[in-house]
Amino acid sequence: MKWSEFFTSSVGKKFIMGLTGITLILFLVVHAGLNACIFATLLDENDHGEMFNKAAHFMGSNVIPRLLEIGLFLGIFLHIIQGLVLEFQNRSKRGISYKVNYGNRGSKWYSRSMGLLGTILLIFLILHWVQFWIPSRFTGMEEVTIDGKQVHDLFGLMKTTFEEPWVVLVYVLACISLAYHLLHGFQSAFRTLGLRSNRYLRIVKGLGIAFSILIPLVFALMPISMHFHWVG
Amino acid sequence: MEHYTMNLNLQVWRQKNKQDKGHFDTYQVSNISSEMSFLEMIDVLNERLIREGSDPIAFDHDCREGICGMCSMYINGKPHGPWEGTTTCQLHMRAFRDGDTIVVEPWRAKAFPVIKDLMVDRSAFDRIIQSGGYISVNTGNAVDGNSIPVEKEKADASFAAAMCIGCGACVAACKNSSAMLFVSAKVSHLALLPQGSPERKTRVLDMMAQMDKEGFGSCTNTGACEAVCPKEISITNIARLNAEYISAGLTEDK
Amino acid sequence: MLNSKIPPGVLDQKWSDYKGHVKLVNPSNKRKLEIIIVGTGLAGASAAASLGELGYKVKAFCFQDSPRRAHSIAAQGGINAAKNYQNDGDSVFRLFYDTIKGGDYRARESNVHRLAEVSTNIIDQCVAQGVPFAREYGGLLSNRSFGGTQVQRTFYAAGQTGQQLLIGAYQALERQVALGNVKMYSRHEMLDVVVIDGKARGIIARNLVSGELERHFGHAVLLCTGGYGNVFYLSTNAMGSNVTAAWKAHKKGAYFGNPCFTQIHPTCIPVSGDHQSKLTLMSESLRNDGRIWVPKKQHDTRKANEIPEEERDYYLERRYPAFGNLVPRDVASRAAKERCDAGYGVGSSRQAVYLDYASAIDRYGRIECGKHGLENPSAQEVRQHGVEVVKEKYGNLFDMYEKITGENPYELPMRIYPAVHYTMGGLWVDYELMTTVPGLYALGEANFSDHGANRLGASALMQGLADGYFVIPYTIGNYLADEIRTASIETSHPAFEAAEKEVADRIHTLKNINGTQTVESFHKRLGKIMWDKCGMARNEEGLKTAIEEIRQLKAEFWRDVKVPGGIMEMNPELDKANRVADFIELGELMCLDALTRKESCGGHFREEMQTEEGEAKRDDENFCFVSAWELKGEGNWELHKEPLVFEVAHPSQRSYK
C-alpha cells in the first residue's frame, strides 16, 4: 500500500488526528506545567514572576524546545486542517437530513461537536498567539533582568492582558471548550490508534476524565487569578 | 400485561422512486392494538390505503423475527425505534401511547439511496463484503473441523461480531454516516479466528478502501452506532479494526 | 415413468461409486457453460459459490435486497453431522437411520444415506470458512443433543446457527462475485422457466425495482427457493417466502412431490389477533425443561397462577409417559391442537397451551442451593437460584418471548401453539437433484427428497448445504457434460419471447382486474382454509370441502383482486399478488395429495387413519411411495408413484408411549 493511500483512507486520516491529538495532549502538560510557574508567587512573596519568566526564557532560547516547537506547530496545523477536512467530508455523507434527530440519546453532545469545539479553540488560539506568542517571538516586548540576563517579561504581559474582563471571559470559555474537546478526544485518540482491551480502556477513560478537568482548570485559573490579583 | 388500543398520528416519508424529491405524508390510524408489532400497524394502514385507492407505503421487511436484517425504519429519530437491541420488526405497539405522533423516515445516507418510500439500497454492504469479507477457501479444501482448535474466548468474541445482521442501523445513526461498525464486525469476526489469519492484512485494507469508495463517512467514536445496533455489536470492534488497519497499512510491503 | 436414477450397488457405496463414474466437464468447457441459480439461501448460496469455484458461469437471483437475507438465516437450533466427536456411538449409519425413521419411512434411502455421508464435510467446510461454531474450553467444537436423538451430533452457534451458516455461504458467494464467476441479481424475482426442446434453458425474471422483465439464458437452471409454508398465511416463514419459482417449474412440467407433507412445529408463540402477520418459533430445546399443560376444566378463564396444581392437566406426560414433553414434533403439535379443539385452550384466543418453567426453576434452584451449601433455603432463595440457571440456559429465548408478548416468562408460564414451519414436500427430483424437466434442478427445502413425512430437528440446514456444496457440483456435471456443444441461446429465441409474454400478460391481467379486495385478504382466507382443513389433522370430508373452497377462492381472486400502483415500478403488492395466485393453486394440489394419501404418516395425519389411542397409523402396504404430481391442465393433475424400497432401514411403527 502506498503511503498516500494509507494517509488518505478514513482510518489513516483518523490515525493522523489521533497521533497529533496525543502530541497536543503531551504539549498541554508541558504548557500547563510551565505556566503554573506563575503560582510560584503564592509560595514565595519575592518571586514576582521570576520563576515563570525564567522558564519561559528557557523554552524560548534553548535549542531543544525550539526544535520541538516546530514539530508542535506541524502537529497543530495537521490537527486543525485534517480536523476541518474530516468535519466537512463527514457532514457531506448524509444527504437529506433527518426530521427528528437521534441527538443525545445515543451519544454525548460533545462527541458529536468536536468540529465546533475545535473551531472555538482555533479562534482562541489565534487570539492567544497575537497576544503572547507573536510579540515574544517576533515583534518584541518589554524585558526584565533576571540573574543578569535580559529576558522577556511575559509575566508582566499577562498581568496587563488579563486586566481586561472580556479577555478573561474568552480564555475561560476556551478552557471549557478544551475540557469538552478533551473529554471525547482523549479516549477517542486511543481507540483510533487501536486500543481495544477493556482493561486498558478503563484506565484511559479514567485518565481522560481527570486530564480533561485538571488541565483546563489549571489554564482557566491563570487569567482568573491574574485578573483578581491573586497572583502577581 | 394489560392490552389497550390507541389512535396515532403517523408522519411517513413518501418518495416515489430514486429520482423523486420525496415528502412527508400524515396519516391518522385508529384502533391499533398494543399487541401488534410496528410493521403490523403499517400493514393495517397499507390495507386501508389500498382500499382507498392510494399507494401503500413501501418498506423492506422479510423474516419479521429480527434476524434477516431487512427491516430498516428510522422511528422518532432512532433507527429501529425506541427499544434497545431490537429490530423494527420486533418492536411492538405497546412501546407507544394513545395520541402519540410517530415520525417514520428511511435510513439517511448518500451511500444508501432511497429506492421508494422507506426502502433504501444497501448493496454497498454487499460490495464491501465482496472486497474481502470472506475466507478464501474453495469447497472441498477443508481439513477436519477439529484440527483447528480455537480459544473459546476468541471464538465467542468472533461470534459476537458475526451476529451482525447487516441492517445498516449503524450508518443511519452515525452523524458521519460511517459504516465502521458494520465493517469492523466483519473484520473482527474473521481476524479473531485462526482460519482468517492468512488474509488478515489484505482483508482489512481492501474492505476499508471499499467502504471509503462507497461514500460512507469516517468514525469519530461517538458510540451512536453501538447504541442503536439491534444485535448490540460492541464499538470495541472498531478499535480492533483500527489496530488491524494501522498495523497492516504500516507493515504491508508493497 | 419416473426414473429416480438411484445408482446400483450397496447402500453405503452408492455415492462413492456414483462419484467415481460420473461424467466430468473439463475446465475450458466449464467456462462456456452458464448456470442460473434462483434463491440464495443455504442451498442456493452454497451451490452458486461451489459452481463458481469450479469455473462455471453462474447467475444468481434473489428477491431480497441482498443474498444474506434468505430465510435460512432464521434457523436457530443447529446442524447435524455424523462426526461422532462425542464418542457416543454416532455414525453415518445412525444419522441415516434416524433420518429415515424420523421421516416415518417416506424418504428415499439412497438420498438420505448420501446426506448422512456428506454431513461431516459440511462441518469441515463451514469451519474453514470461519463459521464461529460453539466451542469447548479446549478449543474444539461443541455438540448438543437435539430433537430427542440419543447422540450429541448437533453443531451450533448459540441460537443463531442458520444465520452463521448462511453468512458463511454468503461470503463464499460474494467472493465468487468479486472474482467475476458469479453475477448476482438481487431484488429480482423469477417468474417463469424457459423450456426449449424439452430442456430448461433459462428464466424470465422481474427486476423488482424497475418492474422490467428480463430474460436470462442458462444451460441449466437450479431452483433453491425454499419451502411453501406461507400457503398457510401464518407460518414461521419469512414474509417473502413463496412457492412461485417452484410452481412455475411445476407448470412447465416438473412434478411436485408429496405436497401435503408439512411440518408443524409445536413451540411457537401463539396468534394474538387478526392483525397477525407471521408467527415466531421458539427453539424446541425449551421442551427439555418446560412442562406443557392446560386446565382440567373446560373454558377455564382463570389466570395461570390462579389454577392450583391438581387442576392442571399435563397432557403430554399423561398420554406419553415414556417420552412425556419430549415426544416428536408432529405428536406434540397434534396433542396441543386436540386439547384446544376440545375447549381447554388458554389465553385470550383460547388457541394456546402453557409451557411452564415453574417446576424447572424450583428443581434447578434446589440443586443450586445444595451446591452453595444452603440448608433449608427459603422459597425465595430457591427461586432466585433457579431463575439464574434458567436464564443461563434459555435467556435469549425468554427475552424473545417477552419482546413479542410483553409477558415475563420467569413469572408466568409461556403460552405456545403449533405453527407451520417447514415443508418436506417440494419439487420431485431424482438422485441427481434433477426435476422431471431435464436441466432443471431443485435443491434444499424446494425439493422433496430427504425428510420423508417429517423432518428431524437440525436437519434442514444440513440438507441445504449438502445439496449445494457437495451434491450438485458432482451431479450437474453428468448433465452438462453432454451440453458442451450447446452454444448460448440468444434470448431473442421464440421460447423466451413466448415465456416473457405469458408473464407480462399475467401481470397485466392482475393489475387490470381492479377489484375490491386486497391481495392480503385473499391470502388470509386461503391460509384459514388450509389451516383448518389441511393442517395438523385432515379428513376426507374436510379436504373435499377445501378443494371446493379453494377453487371458489381462485375464481374470486381473478375476478375481484385489487392491485394498486403501476407495473413499471417497485410494487410490492403486485409481487405479492403474483405469489398468492400461485399459493392458491398449490393449496388445491396439497389438499388433493392429502386426500389421496389415505394413511397417517409423519406430519400428515388423516383422522380416519389412527389407532385406538389416537396415534398416527401408517399404511406401508398401500402408501409406501412418493406422490409425484404432474400438472395436466388447470386443476387437473395426474399422480405418478415412485415406490420406496427399504433395503436397509426396515419400516417399523413409531411408539412414544
Side-chain angles (χ1 to χ4, degrees):
Chain A
M1 143 172 267
K2 290 191 205 125
W3 288 111
S4 60
E5 280 170 4
F6 178 79
F7 286 110
T8 53
S9 70
S10 60
V11 177
K13 281 185 244 175
K14 294 290 303 169
F15 177 66
I16 295 175
M17 290 305 283
L19 267 191
T20 51
I22 289 175
T23 315
L24 296 177
I25 284 169
L26 290 173
F27 161 70
L28 284 178
V29 179
V30 177
H31 192 5
L34 194 120
N35 283 30
C37 292
I38 64 166
F39 298 113
T41 53
L42 295 176
L43 305 171
D44 178 1
E45 276 179 26
N46 302 320
D47 182 80
H48 302 298
E50 259 184 38
M51 186 167 166
F52 171 69
N53 277 339
K54 270 201 279 190
H57 178 74
F58 169 78
M59 295 302 283
S61 56
N62 189 287
V63 63
I64 294 170
R66 293 308 297 267
L67 282 175
L68 285 176
E69 192 178 37
I70 297 169
L72 171 70
F73 269 86
L74 273 175
I76 287 180
F77 285 118
L78 259 178
H79 195 80
I80 292 168
I81 293 163
Q82 189 73 279
L84 289 172
V85 167
L86 269 171
E87 178 71 17
F88 286 112
Q89 281 179 344
N90 284 338
R91 274 169 185 267
S92 73
K93 305 294 186 192
R94 176 116 291 148
I96 301 169
S97 51
Y98 287 115
K99 182 168 181 170
V100 184
N101 274 306
Y102 188 30
N104 294 333
R105 285 175 283 174
S107 56
K108 301 273 190 263
W109 70 268
Y110 50 84
S111 75
R112 300 193 309 275
S113 313
M114 294 298 276
L116 175 72
L117 294 168
T119 308
I120 293 174
L121 288 173
L122 173 62
I123 294 167
F124 160 78
L125 267 185
I126 294 169
L127 175 73
H128 186 55
W129 286 331
V130 169
Q131 285 173 330
F132 295 98
W133 187 71
I134 294 176
S136 167
R137 285 287 175 280
F138 304 108
T139 54
M141 56 188 292
E142 290 201 9
E143 298 186 338
V144 288
T145 312
I146 298 171
D147 300 339
K149 254 196 277 180
Q150 288 286 100
V151 299
H152 285 162
D153 185 13
L154 277 162
F155 191 77
L157 183 60
M158 277 172 88
K159 270 163 73 173
T160 48
T161 309
F162 294 137
E163 283 302 316
E164 286 284 347
W166 71 267
V167 177
V168 178
L169 192 69
V170 168
Y171 273 62
V172 170
L173 283 178
C175 288
I176 294 170
S177 297
L178 177 65
Y180 280 112
H181 199 77
L182 284 170
L183 203 53
H184 177 68
F186 192 98
Q187 50 109 4
S188 178
F190 285 93
R191 286 174 187 278
T192 299
L193 297 182
L195 185 72
R196 62 186 176 282
S197 144
N198 279 323
R199 276 171 70 207
Y200 290 96
L201 270 178
R202 271 196 292 275
I203 297 173
V204 166
K205 266 189 195 162
L207 269 180
I209 293 168
F211 190 88
S212 323
I213 296 169
L214 266 179
I215 296 285
L217 188 68
V218 170
F219 277 125
L221 276 175
M222 293 168 194
I224 292 171
S225 31
M226 287 279 192
H227 184 76
F228 294 106
H229 303 285
W230 298 340
V231 298
Chain B
M1 188 78 201
E2 279 309 305
H3 305 307
Y4 54 95
T5 59
M6 64 196 101
N7 299 327
L8 300 161
N9 173 29
L10 288 182
Q11 294 180 29
V12 183
W13 180 260
R14 301 304 305 265
Q15 182 175 337
K16 231 176 148 29
N17 50 42
K18 230 176 205 173
Q19 289 74 38
D20 185 30
K21 270 185 65 121
H23 64 280
F24 280 97
D25 266 350
T26 304
Y27 305 96
Q28 309 294 331
V29 288
S30 45
N31 228 2
I32 294 298
S33 154
S34 61
E35 287 186 281
M36 281 185 191
S37 76
F38 192 83
L39 295 184
E40 283 162 357
M41 183 271 293
I42 304 270
D43 289 342
V44 168
L45 170 60
N46 272 347
E47 285 291 284
R48 192 186 89 198
L49 292 176
I50 296 167
R51 281 197 304 273
E52 288 169 0
S54 38
D55 235 8
I57 300 161
F59 61 97
D60 269 325
H61 64 112
D62 199 23
C63 78
R64 293 211 180 183
E65 49 187 278
I67 193 75
C68 77
M70 196 127 168
C71 58
S72 55
M73 292 183 192
Y74 192 87
I75 301 162
N76 279 346
K78 189 177 172 222
H80 295 305
W83 289 355
E84 304 288 309
T86 305
T87 57
T88 300
C89 65
Q90 293 173 302
L91 176 64
H92 276 65
M93 292 311 291
R94 61 178 186 278
F96 301 94
R97 298 279 145 216
D98 189 32
D100 278 359
T101 292
I102 307 176
V103 183
V104 190
E105 302 174 70
W107 284 176
R108 294 280 188 211
K110 280 189 183 165
F112 286 167
V114 172
I115 294 174
K116 184 175 185 178
D117 298 341
L118 302 169
M119 283 178 165
V120 298
D121 178 358
R122 284 169 289 194
S123 52
F125 273 11
D126 286 335
R127 289 188 294 274
I128 291 175
I129 298 296
Q130 282 159 26
S131 69
Y134 47 74
I135 289 169
S136 298
V137 50
N138 282 0
T139 306
N141 276 350
V143 293
D144 184 86
N146 260 353
S147 64
I148 320 164
V150 182
E151 199 182 318
K152 183 169 168 34
E153 215 170 284
K154 282 195 172 167
D156 290 348
S158 171
F159 171 72
M163 287 204 303
C164 170
I165 56 174
C167 66
C170 45
V171 176
C174 174
K175 81 172 187 68
N176 308 325
S177 311
S178 174
M180 280 286 267
L181 194 64
F182 168 77
V183 181
S184 70
K186 188 47 62 197
V187 166
S188 295
H189 161 207
L190 300 175
L192 282 161
L193 296 173
Q195 302 94 300
S197 75
E199 292 165 291
R200 205 166 152 176
K201 285 184 184 177
T202 49
R203 178 181 305 119
V204 65
L205 296 177
D206 292 345
M207 287 181 79
M208 280 310 299
Q210 189 65 32
M211 182 192 107
D212 289 348
K213 201 169 129 194
E214 295 290 346
F216 294 100
S218 55
C219 173
T220 49
N221 297 323
T222 67
C225 52
E226 180 185 52
V228 299
C229 177
K231 297 292 142 187
E232 298 176 321
I233 308 274
S234 166
I235 196 174
T236 311
N237 290 307
I238 296 185
R240 183 178 294 107
L241 180 149
N242 289 333
E244 294 282 325
Y245 188 89
I246 292 166
S247 85
L250 297 180
T251 59
E252 203 209 26
D253 198 12
K254 251 193 254 170
Chain C
M1 183 56 205
L2 287 168
N3 178 6
S4 52
K5 294 194 217 153
I6 299 168
V10 281
L11 184 63
D12 58 2
Q13 291 303 314
K14 284 179 195 284
W15 180 233
S16 43
D17 278 355
Y18 176 89
K19 284 192 291 183
H21 297 97
V22 72
K23 282 182 240 173
L24 298 174
V25 181
N26 94 37
S28 64
N29 283 327
K30 282 193 183 117
R31 283 196 290 274
K32 295 184 214 146
L33 292 167
E34 297 177 55
I35 300 173
I36 285 176
I37 297 178
V38 185
T40 57
L42 285 182
S46 58
S50 303
L51 296 173
E53 286 159 10
L54 288 175
Y56 292 110
K57 272 163 75 178
V58 177
K59 284 181 176 182
F61 295 78
C62 70
F63 69 80
Q64 299 94 336
D65 74 329
S66 160
R68 67 181 295 154
R69 316 270 185 227
H71 199 54
S72 308
I73 205 156
Q76 298 171 357
I79 176 165
N80 287 333
K83 280 284 194 187
N84 193 29
Y85 280 159
Q86 305 308 323
N87 195 30
D88 56 0
D90 197 11
S91 64
V92 167
F93 180 79
R94 279 204 195 269
L95 177 53
F96 153 77
Y97 184 80
D98 287 352
T99 308
I100 288 280
K101 183 183 174 204
D104 221 356
Y105 302 95
R106 290 296 172 264
R108 208 185 270 153
E109 271 193 335
S110 55
N111 286 51
V112 176
H113 199 276
R114 175 177 66 190
L115 175 68
E117 285 173 57
V118 301
S119 66
T120 56
N121 304 77
I122 296 172
I123 299 304
D124 300 340
Q125 182 64 26
C126 293
V127 168
Q129 284 173 346
V131 170
F133 283 120
R135 285 178 185 269
E136 304 293 349
Y137 282 99
L140 302 180
L141 293 159
S142 173
N143 291 115
R144 61 181 169 201
S145 63
F146 202 80
T149 51
Q150 289 160 300
V151 293
Q152 293 190 35
R153 64 159 76 101
T154 304
F155 294 78
Y156 62 99
Q160 277 134 283
T161 319
Q163 181 201 22
Q164 294 308 317
L165 295 175
L166 182 66
I167 297 286
Y170 157 75
Q171 287 171 190
L173 164 65
E174 293 295 359
R175 173 172 162 250
Q176 292 307 310
V177 173
L179 292 170
N181 299 326
V182 176
K183 186 148 172 41
M184 185 65 223
Y185 297 82
S186 49
R187 293 203 196 262
H188 275 66
E189 181 148 35
M190 184 202 112
L191 291 180
D192 210 354
V193 184
V194 179
V195 179
I196 299 175
D197 299 333
K199 289 177 175 174
R201 289 300 188 196
I203 62 166
I204 304 295
R206 182 167 184 266
N207 177 333
L208 299 183
V209 177
S210 68
E212 276 165 272
L213 294 179
E214 298 173 3
R215 304 170 186 182
H216 294 276
F217 165 79
H219 288 90
V221 176
L222 274 53
L223 301 184
C224 312
T225 48
Y228 46 84
N230 271 346
V231 69
F232 291 89
Y233 184 70
L234 287 180
S235 79
T236 65
N237 283 10
M239 300 301 286
S241 301
N242 67 78
V243 77
T244 291
W247 198 251
K248 299 300 183 194
H250 180 50
K251 284 187 153 178
K252 284 285 163 84
Y255 295 1
F256 215 103
N258 296 334
C260 80
F261 286 169
T262 319
Q263 180 163 80
I264 296 180
H265 197 290
T267 52
C268 299
I269 299 174
V271 178
S272 68
D274 279 343
H275 51 78
Q276 188 106 12
S277 60
K278 83 150 265 163
L279 297 170
T280 304
L281 175 105
M282 289 193 300
S283 171
E284 137 171 80
S285 61
L286 283 174
R287 285 198 283 143
N288 287 344
D289 280 316
R291 294 180 73 195
I292 294 172
W293 63 275
V294 291
K296 278 186 180 162
K297 206 173 85 185
Q298 258 177 335
H299 313 294
D300 198 331
T301 51
R302 285 175 295 176
K303 287 185 178 145
N305 45 14
E306 291 165 359
I307 301 174
E309 190 62 33
E310 60 277 9
E311 291 177 40
R312 300 176 176 189
D313 175 18
Y314 295 91
Y315 60 89
L316 284 177
E317 297 169 27
R318 171 171 57 77
R319 272 177 77 173
Y320 307 101
F323 277 68
N325 294 298
L326 289 172
V327 289
R329 289 178 178 176
D330 50 343
V331 178
S333 293
R334 271 198 297 279
K337 177 182 157 60
E338 186 275 327
R339 283 290 86 184
C340 293
D341 289 351
Y344 296 94
V346 300
S348 50
S349 64
R350 321 311 291 171
Q351 289 291 307
V353 298
Y354 287 127
L355 174 63
D356 200 335
Y357 263 71
S359 64
I361 289 175
D362 187 66
R363 176 162 50 89
Y364 283 123
R366 284 184 194 287
I367 297 172
E368 282 302 295
C369 287
K371 281 191 205 163
H372 288 83
L374 287 169
E375 282 176 39
N376 304 318
S378 69
Q380 203 201 335
E381 278 175 316
V382 171
R383 194 182 144 68
Q384 188 197 332
H385 284 288
V387 165
E388 269 170 38
V389 177
V390 170
K391 199 172 268 183
E392 165 85 27
K393 290 180 93 153
Y394 305 106
N396 58 341
L397 296 169
F398 278 41
D399 289 349
M400 185 167 81
Y401 181 83
E402 190 170 2
K403 243 176 218 172
I404 291 173
T405 63
E407 291 174 356
N408 180 349
Y410 297 100
E411 306 278 340
L412 296 167
M414 287 182 266
R415 287 171 294 114
I416 55 163
Y417 199 67
V420 175
H421 174 55
Y422 187 90
T423 51
M424 282 73 69
L427 290 174
W428 184 91
V429 291
D430 59 23
Y431 188 73
E432 298 181 320
L433 305 181
M434 199 195 284
T435 66
T436 46
V437 177
L440 181 66
Y441 293 79
L443 281 67
E445 193 182 347
N447 71 29
F448 88 101
S449 73
D450 294 355
H451 305 296
N454 176 51
R455 181 177 62 76
L456 285 184
S459 284
L461 302 180
M462 173 172 69
Q463 188 221 339
L465 290 179
D467 287 358
Y469 282 134
F470 296 107
V471 178
I472 198 73
Y474 294 91
T475 61
I476 203 168
N478 209 27
Y479 173 75
L480 290 177
D482 295 332
E483 294 294 323
I484 50 176
R485 273 169 290 276
T486 310
S488 290
I489 298 173
E490 289 297 322
T491 53
S492 52
H493 188 283
F496 275 97
E497 297 247 348
E500 184 183 318
K501 183 166 181 309
E502 206 179 306
V503 171
D505 287 350
R506 173 162 140 140
I507 290 176
H508 276 97
T509 312
L510 276 172
K511 176 70 196 101
N512 293 329
I513 294 168
N514 221 353
T516 58
Q517 302 179 62
T518 63
V519 177
E520 198 77 3
S521 67
F522 281 105
H523 195 181
K524 267 190 194 177
R525 283 165 62 192
L526 172 68
K528 177 137 179 52
I529 298 172
M530 295 302 291
W531 181 243
D532 289 346
K533 306 195 171 76
C534 194
M536 271 185 279
R538 298 128 183 216
N539 61 54
E540 183 167 341
E541 195 197 332
L543 290 165
K544 283 182 172 160
T545 329
I547 291 175
E548 276 316 304
E549 286 174 353
I550 292 171
R551 286 184 177 161
Q552 282 164 23
L553 188 74
K554 183 178 170 184
E556 196 178 328
F557 177 89
W558 287 99
R559 196 173 60 235
D560 198 30
V561 74
K562 186 177 176 69
V563 180
I567 290 173
M568 296 307 284
E569 62 178 32
M570 174 122 223
N571 189 343
E573 280 299 312
L574 179 58
D575 307 336
K576 198 155 71 182
N578 249 319
R579 294 168 190 167
V580 171
D582 294 334
F583 275 136
I584 294 176
E585 293 178 11
L586 165 75
E588 185 180 339
L589 177 61
M590 286 173 71
C591 293
L592 177 63
D593 186 42
L595 187 63
T596 315
R597 192 169 280 278
K598 290 189 182 119
E599 64 160 349
S600 295
C601 61
H604 171 63
F605 186 73
R606 279 289 297 263
E607 284 167 351
E608 305 92 323
M609 297 298 294
Q610 49 182 312
T611 62
E612 276 145 34
E613 298 95 19
E615 304 304 331
K617 206 163 103 190
R618 217 174 54 221
D619 179 356
D620 290 329
E621 195 134 323
N622 298 305
F623 291 95
C624 198
F625 62 80
V626 175
S627 309
W629 295 91
E630 180 188 6
L631 186 67
K632 289 295 206 186
E634 198 174 318
N636 179 17
W637 283 274
E638 184 186 335
L639 174 64
H640 300 266
K641 296 176 183 175
E642 181 202 340
L644 290 168
V645 184
F646 293 95
E647 292 171 340
V648 178
H650 297 292
S652 64
Q653 200 67 40
R654 298 192 301 169
S655 170
Y656 302 97
K657 293 277 177 189

